[in-house]
Amino acid sequence: MELLGAAFVYLIAAVVAVPLANRFGLGSVLGYLIAGVVIGPVLGVVGGETVELQHFAEFGVVMMLFLVGLELQPSMLWRMRTQLLGLGGLQVVGTTLVIAAICLAFGFSWQVALALGMILALSSTAIVLQSLNEKGWMGTIGGKSAFSVLLTQDIAVIPMLALMPLLAVQVPSLLDGQAFAPFFEGIGVGIAHAAGASSTGAPTWFDGLPGWAQGLFVLAVIVAIIVAGRTLIAPVFRFIARSGLREIFTAAALMLVIGIALSMNYVGLSPALGTFLAGVVLSDSDYRHELEADIEPFKGLLLGLFFITVGAGIDFHLLFANPFSLIGLALGLMVLKAVLLYALATGFGLRGADRWLFSLSLAQAGEFAFVLFGFAASSEVLEPSIIKPMTLVVALTMMFTPLLILLYEYVLAPRSVLLAQQEADKIDEQGKVVVAGLGRVGQIITRMLMTNDFKVTVLDHDPDVIENLAKTGFRAYFGDATRPDLLHSAGLGQADLFIAALDDRSKQTEMVRHVAKTYPSVTIFARARDRHHIYELEKAGAHHVERETFEAALLLGRNALVSLGYHPFRAEKAGRKFRRHDFATVNRLRDSWNEEGVTDHYIDAMRAHNETLYDLMKEERMEDHDMGEQGWMKDPDQKPG
Amino acid sequence: MKVLLYLAHPNFDRSGINRPMFEAARGIDGVTCVDLYACYPTLEIDRDCEQARLLAHDVIVLQHPLHWYSAPSILKEWLDQVLGYGFAYGQDAKGDVVLALAGKYIFHAVSCGSPKEAYRADGANGADVRQLLLPFEKSFEFCHMRSLAPFVLFSAGLPMAIDDGNAGQRERVEILRTYRHHLQDWKQMLIALRDHELDFEQAQSARILNELLPTLFVQTGDL
């Protein structure tokens, strides 16, 4: 019961605070943080378990990086290499050194200064990525640069964890072979912390191996992930998808992420980094959008929980003991980091709004600081007297970040001119057209659009269809297009056009209704089964509807007339006339259908229209023979001249 | 007067002068603009709709590039379908003569690839633009419509040379100046047509409309 009670408290805090914060344009992160402050220090409903919960919730970061990886094709990652090494590397090293220098000036030992520098140089992946995604700024140059730096930082945590024990005050002689024992142990313990889920500090199971073997082993695991991602995942997921059990697919997705995190843990690499890598490997898989849709809610909840625990963990007693110096320290740290970031951004050619976004979004210290503080304490690098207030300072900088983002959004961004390149870059990230259903209709439409160089994202729920089409060089993503979350992750929010081509009549209508309601700016084209289905789909919000068999039947009818002796162009004209009349009938019966459905009146009206069609056709025949006798021309189709 | 502008351009996306002309016309009140290839991409013209349009207007402008010394095919299809028996000529069901379009003014606004010198009796084409478009003019005459001289831009299609960088700097400036001038005349003329401020007598007998333009504008004052 205690578990459910605690869960209820966290959930109610989130449910109340987040929509309120969003309502006032503050963003969800600030909402979660405030919720945490309220249930933690203010009301005191939650207490000591927050720290433990935080380790658990940090798994949300792991999931987030998996999702980020899914969005990034390997080629894009390769293109980012200068940014990763240059911008990211310089940020980490530069900020570390400047903070360390300042600490030295305040009379700390160089070991303490360096440790603090490393810890505070890192930013919060969770807050920054969540905010950038929420605001839709991930595609901007500023957003991309920020992401590169965050990714570099995630990698940089590993050498930091390794260095930390070496900074312990009682440094043994570095030449002594024994010195490297805590080094590797450090990696194991630290990584376990970073994994969050298993914060027990399980030692890596190859501790006994020599260094080079460990290195090889790590490499082998990474290669295994890439190879398995390329070869094994698709058939396994196809097998699961064939079962048609949605929850098993979700279970498999979770299993994949947790499994990778664990294996990373065992070989002593950051689980966040490992799942990111796995995400990149799977980014061009057929199951990408389905995986995204399945992991997304877990990631969202865990990250939310993480933000709440940050808010709840703020030690108000400590804060009120010396509020000015602590808040001053937090603000000073942010200003310092922002200035360094700004200088770096300038050096790397960022300008205007992008430079501001980059400098302000990364100015806080991050969740890794909590981990590293814990680790620094256990390896006796830092005294608790430093760690306690500094943990609070880190939490405060995280609290202030959403405010800086607001400052950027409402004050700085409107004043700076956004760079023109932004537009061009966006295009390669998301398809402009989403096609749901890859049956007889969807295939033709998709092929037409693709041969005209439009970017098309295609969804189908049948793994066999996708596999067969893949053989013909045709890409589609697996997933049930009637699921709102899948449509979302397929990028419908950014699409201009949605083509609904599902076979199932009622599913098709349902999907169109959902899309029309949720994405009012997207134009919807839909395939209809028959005339009544046209009305249904139009009512559901489709902008343009065509009957799937109409044109083909018309063509066959025309050819039939030709084979019965009509001149081909006469048959063509008859077909055109039929089509025009049929469209007119569809238009005329629409109101009757909308008001009354299929009633006697509707049936009468339809019969009447069929009779007019007969008359029309007869008239055409008459015209050909009789009308010519009027006037001075033998044949009315004989024009003057 | 109500002006109806028909555009017949099979490559509207890549047109140099016709596109700005059509877009300029769209911005003028009292001018109805119809892009024929956009309305009827399968060349299947809605006769009833177009006949109703013609009835509702007083001046009809046919804007197109000169293709094979004539108009792009959709305009011929338009002529065949819309100027039909029992509407533009001939008799109705009761046997009465019908001439639904009688008295309406009609003319072409044409862009030609060759320079002006080619369109002369002694030039490369051996005939001027009005002569080349005679089949249209005779058809309109048959329907008792009144043809005005064509409004012509010569040496069109040279912006491609500008893009290719084949043209020299001086040439480019010259071409752009001609285009601007032509557009200016075009807008002025459409407005004058709308406001009935054009000397229609003279416009009917001229060989090319735009060359006479300044002398054609008349102030109708309170008329």
Side-chain angles (χ1 to χ4, degrees):
Chain A
M1 260 340 267
E2 204 173 283
L3 174 72
L4 285 182
F8 185 70
V9 170
Y10 281 103
L11 288 174
I12 203 171
V15 168
V16 172
V18 175
L20 271 178
N22 258 342
R23 181 85 183 66
F24 295 112
L26 305 176
S28 68
V29 177
L30 196 57
Y32 282 119
L33 290 170
I34 292 169
V37 172
V38 171
I39 60 170
V42 174
L43 295 180
V45 247
V46 296
E49 82 277 8
T50 50
V51 180
E52 231 165 281
L53 207 52
Q54 196 167 49
H55 287 313
F56 174 64
E58 273 164 16
F59 200 70
V61 182
V62 173
M63 288 180 161
M64 181 167 62
L65 276 155
F66 178 69
L67 292 176
V68 169
L70 277 180
E71 299 270 331
L72 270 181
Q73 265 85 37
S75 55
M76 283 166 72
L77 194 63
W78 181 244
R79 261 184 278 148
M80 283 167 60
R81 64 191 185 279
T82 353
Q83 293 237 306
L84 285 173
L85 286 174
L87 196 59
L90 281 176
Q91 189 275 335
V92 174
V93 174
T95 314
T96 301
L97 291 180
V98 172
I99 294 176
I102 292 172
C103 292
L104 270 181
F106 276 92
F108 290 101
S109 72
W110 69 268
Q111 292 96 336
V112 171
L114 194 58
L116 280 175
M118 291 192 300
I119 292 171
L120 298 177
L122 302 176
S123 311
S124 170
T125 311
I127 288 184
V128 179
L129 284 196
Q130 177 75 9
S131 303
L132 291 180
N133 270 327
E134 199 172 291
K135 306 278 185 192
W137 295 336
M138 273 302 271
T140 66
I141 296 186
K144 280 181 183 167
S145 308
F147 172 72
S148 312
V149 171
L150 289 170
L151 205 58
T152 316
Q153 290 179 351
D154 284 341
I155 302 168
V157 173
I158 298 154
M160 285 185 189
L161 285 165
L163 274 173
M164 208 57 86
L166 301 183
L167 297 176
V169 188
Q170 61 282 28
V171 196
S173 161
L174 282 178
L175 296 171
D176 184 353
Q178 279 301 310
F180 291 95
F183 183 92
F184 288 115
E185 194 179 324
I187 294 178
V189 177
I191 293 302
H193 273 281
S198 53
S199 53
T200 44
T204 58
W205 51 261
F206 55 82
D207 274 348
L209 298 177
W212 59 267
Q214 291 185 8
L216 273 184
F217 198 80
V218 169
L219 205 64
V221 168
I222 291 176
V223 170
I225 285 181
I226 294 174
V227 171
R230 289 267 171 215
T231 58
L232 217 61
I233 298 288
V236 168
F237 275 72
R238 195 176 308 130
F239 175 72
I240 297 166
R242 278 210 191 98
S243 76
L245 293 169
R246 165 96 204 275
E247 66 278 8
I248 293 301
F249 200 99
T250 309
L254 276 178
M255 180 192 78
L256 178 74
V257 175
I258 295 176
I260 292 166
L262 278 179
S263 60
M264 283 288 123
N265 215 1
Y266 276 128
V267 300
L269 280 180
S270 152
L273 208 62
T275 48
F276 171 76
L277 186 69
V280 174
V281 171
L282 291 175
S283 66
D284 47 10
S285 123
D286 303 340
Y287 295 90
R288 165 183 162 193
H289 292 298
E290 176 78 27
L291 282 170
E292 251 180 276
D294 280 337
I295 298 290
E296 181 73 39
F298 292 102
K299 170 221 113 180
L301 276 178
L302 282 176
L303 270 189
L305 185 59
F306 171 73
F307 296 136
I308 293 182
T309 58
V310 170
I314 287 183
D315 189 341
F316 264 51
H317 293 295
L318 191 60
L319 182 61
F320 286 134
N322 29 20
F324 295 112
S325 58
L326 284 173
I327 292 178
L329 210 54
L331 290 179
L333 177 64
M334 292 185 91
V335 169
L336 176 70
K337 287 187 75 169
V339 167
L340 290 172
L341 286 162
Y342 193 90
L344 211 58
T346 311
F348 275 78
L350 270 72
R351 292 292 176 270
D354 287 318
R355 181 163 53 182
W356 280 118
L357 178 63
F358 177 78
S359 332
L360 292 184
S361 66
L362 293 173
Q364 76 296 102
E367 56 275 2
F368 275 122
F370 299 135
V371 177
L372 288 170
F373 276 136
F375 188 56
S378 62
S379 44
E380 292 172 11
V381 183
L382 297 175
E383 300 283 324
S385 63
I386 297 176
I387 290 176
K388 268 197 147 179
M390 283 318 287
T391 308
L392 186 56
V393 166
V394 170
L396 285 176
T397 62
M398 289 164 86
M399 291 285 290
F400 294 150
T401 303
L403 300 175
L404 279 186
I405 302 240
L406 289 177
L407 174 75
Y408 164 78
E409 186 176 8
Y410 292 107
V411 182
L412 296 169
R415 291 183 190 191
S416 333
V417 187
L418 283 163
L419 290 181
Q421 289 124 297
Q422 192 186 324
E423 195 88 357
D425 268 328
K426 255 186 185 163
I427 294 167
D428 57 32
E429 277 173 23
Q430 219 104 43
K432 301 287 251 185
V433 185
V434 176
V435 178
L438 199 52
R440 296 159 300 146
V441 177
Q443 278 182 35
I444 295 175
I445 302 169
T446 309
R447 262 157 50 197
M448 261 186 87
L449 293 174
M450 281 182 168
T451 45
N452 278 287
D453 289 335
F454 282 94
K455 227 172 162 217
V456 185
T457 307
V458 195
L459 302 168
D460 198 275
H461 68 282
D462 186 342
D464 294 324
V465 166
I466 292 174
E467 193 187 358
N468 285 333
L469 284 170
K471 286 177 195 151
T472 62
F474 202 62
R475 282 306 304 277
Y477 293 107
F478 168 78
D480 180 354
T482 53
R483 277 173 46 200
D485 49 352
L486 194 77
L487 288 173
H488 178 76
S489 63
L492 200 50
Q494 287 80 40
D496 302 313
L497 184 62
F498 176 67
I499 293 172
L502 294 189
D503 231 357
D504 186 303
R505 184 185 178 126
S506 54
K507 273 191 178 175
Q508 165 88 339
T509 314
E510 209 37 62
M511 179 176 71
V512 166
R513 185 169 298 129
H514 164 75
V515 172
K517 212 167 61 188
T518 321
Y519 308 94
S521 63
V522 176
T523 306
I524 304 171
F525 281 18
R527 117 203 234 192
R529 262 253 186 292
D530 52 33
R531 198 179 284 177
H532 294 168
H533 202 201
I534 297 184
Y535 302 139
E536 281 171 34
L537 288 166
E538 284 174 348
K539 209 174 169 190
H543 299 94
H544 183 83
V545 186
E546 289 288 346
R547 278 162 291 175
E548 57 191 30
T549 52
F550 184 72
E551 291 293 332
L554 209 59
L555 215 56
L556 277 174
R558 194 198 74 181
N559 290 342
L561 286 178
V562 174
S563 88
L564 290 170
Y566 267 40
H567 182 278
F569 195 64
R570 184 172 169 210
E572 168 65 27
K573 284 196 285 184
R576 288 179 180 185
K577 191 165 245 181
F578 187 94
R579 186 198 286 117
R580 267 205 303 279
H581 181 267
D582 194 85
F583 282 179
T585 311
V586 167
N587 284 334
R588 251 171 247 152
L589 291 180
R590 181 178 287 113
D591 291 339
S592 160
W593 186 90
N594 274 337
E595 281 161 26
E596 314 159 44
V598 183
T599 57
D600 288 347
H601 175 242
Y602 177 88
I603 291 166
D604 284 348
M606 209 160 91
R607 189 169 296 138
H609 275 282
N610 282 341
E611 277 160 19
T612 2
L613 178 63
Y614 182 74
D615 290 343
L616 257 172
M617 289 288 178
K618 213 163 70 181
E619 192 181 290
E620 170 90 330
R621 294 200 297 270
M622 294 274 287
E623 206 176 274
D624 284 355
H625 303 298
D626 310 333
M627 292 266 286
E629 288 165 18
Q630 296 173 3
W632 51 270
M633 266 171 299
K634 286 276 179 253
D635 183 347
D637 283 342
Q638 174 69 55
K639 298 292 174 193
Chain B
M1 295 213 286
K2 288 191 183 127
V3 181
L4 174 59
L5 171 65
Y6 277 120
L7 169 79
H9 198 308
N11 295 307
F12 188 56
D13 298 347
R14 281 176 280 152
S15 114
I17 184 67
N18 279 295
R19 190 179 183 135
M21 279 170 72
F22 192 65
E23 270 154 17
R26 267 185 180 150
I28 300 174
D29 277 340
V31 179
T32 309
C33 299
V34 179
D35 177 346
L36 278 175
Y37 275 108
C39 289
Y40 308 112
T42 59
L43 269 62
E44 189 186 338
I45 288 172
D46 183 339
R47 183 191 320 202
D48 295 342
C49 167
E50 295 311 326
Q51 289 184 345
R53 257 188 196 140
L54 287 176
L55 289 179
H57 293 83
D58 310 300
V59 182
I60 294 108
V61 188
L62 307 169
Q63 185 199 337
H64 60 87
L66 205 65
H67 277 189
W68 285 121
Y69 307 105
S70 181
S73 54
I74 201 168
L75 210 58
K76 182 64 167 66
E77 182 69 8
W78 170 84
L79 194 69
D80 293 349
Q81 294 301 324
V82 183
L83 270 62
Y85 183 87
F87 171 72
Y89 70 97
Q91 295 170 351
D92 62 11
K94 284 179 288 177
D96 295 330
V97 173
V98 272
L99 289 163
L101 305 176
K104 292 188 190 296
Y105 292 106
I106 188 160
F107 69 99
H108 298 255
V110 185
S111 58
C112 313
S114 307
K116 194 180 170 216
E117 303 80 69
Y119 294 93
R120 281 204 311 242
D122 57 348
N125 294 326
D128 75 0
V129 176
R130 189 159 187 178
Q131 266 173 301
L132 290 172
L133 293 172
L134 198 63
F136 283 97
E137 192 165 339
K138 293 308 279 182
S139 307
F140 302 142
E141 197 179 290
F142 192 87
C143 302
H144 291 221
M145 298 170 85
R146 291 183 277 189
S147 281
L148 308 185
F151 179 83
V152 188
L153 174 74
F154 294 104
S155 307
L158 282 179
M160 285 176 202
I162 300 183
D163 289 344
D164 291 348
N166 287 339
Q169 185 63 30
R170 183 190 293 262
E171 252 178 302
R172 268 173 238 208
V173 173
E174 194 50 48
I175 290 166
L176 288 176
R177 183 180 299 142
T178 314
Y179 272 32
R180 249 200 317 275
H181 188 70
H182 189 71
L183 264 180
Q184 203 57 42
D185 282 354
W186 168 247
K187 281 188 266 190
Q188 249 184 323
M189 187 194 57
L190 287 175
I191 290 166
L193 283 170
R194 180 194 68 188
D195 299 342
H196 216 298
E197 288 180 350
L198 200 82
D199 183 343
F200 281 95
E201 294 285 314
Q202 223 190 315
Q204 272 175 276
S205 59
R207 297 307 296 174
I208 287 179
L209 208 53
N210 27 336
E211 289 182 352
L212 290 173
L213 263 191
T215 62
L216 287 179
F217 293 132
V218 288
Q219 286 295 326
T220 49
D222 291 336
L223 270 176

